[in-house]
């Protein structure tokens, strides 16, 4: 049986098998989530944010997430490489910091032109 996950802010949705990691689902949806550790909970680059309701459709935090995310877990932060999907859900993928910086500069430039 397939379940779906929606990636915000793009709104892209993909159907996956139960137990698929959020990172694998993102790749299936062609959503870029940065990684450096190959999905081993080592780089902490794959953070996504999930609200309380949608968080219930993910597996509970792994020991690695508990150790490495600590209080961020209470704010809905999960590691995409560790969280597995067990029901229809949605996650928010933060904007890449480099892209965010470029976007801000372009917005500022456009404001200056007006
Ligand atoms: S991919 Fe490195 S912590 Fe998830």
């Amino acid at each position: 049986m397939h379940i779906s996950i929606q990636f915000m802010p793009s709104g892209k949705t993909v159907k996956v098998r139960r137990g698929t990691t959020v990172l694998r689902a993102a790749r299936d949806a062609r959503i870029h989530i940065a990684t450096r550790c190959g999905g081993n909970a080592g780089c902490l680059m794959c953070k996504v944010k999930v609200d309380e309701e949608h968080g219930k459709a993910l597996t509970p935090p792994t020991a690695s997430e508990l150790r490495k995310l600590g209080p961020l877990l209470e704010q809905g932060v999960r590691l995409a490489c560790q969280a597995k999907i067990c029901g229809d859900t949605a996650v928010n993928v933060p904007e890449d910091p480099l892209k965010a910086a470029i976007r801000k500069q372009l917005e500022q430039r456009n404001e200056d032109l007006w």
Side-chain angles (χ1 to χ4, degrees):
M1 187 175 116
H2 286 85
I3 49 185
S4 67
I5 177 168
Q6 184 176 39
F7 293 92
M8 301 306 286
S10 73
K12 275 189 178 177
T13 301
V14 65
K15 291 202 178 289
V16 296
R17 288 177 187 250
R18 188 179 303 273
T20 301
T21 64
V22 172
L23 183 61
R24 175 74 241 172
R27 288 182 175 155
D28 289 350
R30 297 182 186 267
I31 299 288
H32 176 71
I33 296 179
T35 68
R36 269 201 197 135
C37 70
N40 294 314
C43 67
L44 305 184
M45 294 180 70
C46 67
K47 292 187 205 102
V48 294
K49 201 158 185 193
V50 61
D51 65 30
E52 189 176 339
E53 183 64 31
H54 290 107
K56 293 175 186 169
L58 299 177
T59 51
T62 62
S64 294
E65 287 181 284
L66 289 169
R67 192 173 54 252
K68 295 187 174 185
L69 293 177
L72 289 176
L73 283 166
E74 292 169 19
Q75 298 170 30
V77 176
R78 297 291 308 269
L79 293 179
C81 68
Q82 301 297 300
K84 293 180 179 171
I85 306 160
C86 48
D88 292 339
T89 190
V91 299
N92 195 309
V93 180
E95 188 174 21
D96 178 78
L98 179 59
K99 281 185 183 173
I102 292 170
R103 183 182 46 74
K104 278 183 187 170
Q105 282 187 348
L106 289 173
E107 287 172 0
Q108 184 63 47
R109 193 175 131 213
N110 286 340
E111 284 176 20
D112 291 345
L113 291 175
W114 292 98

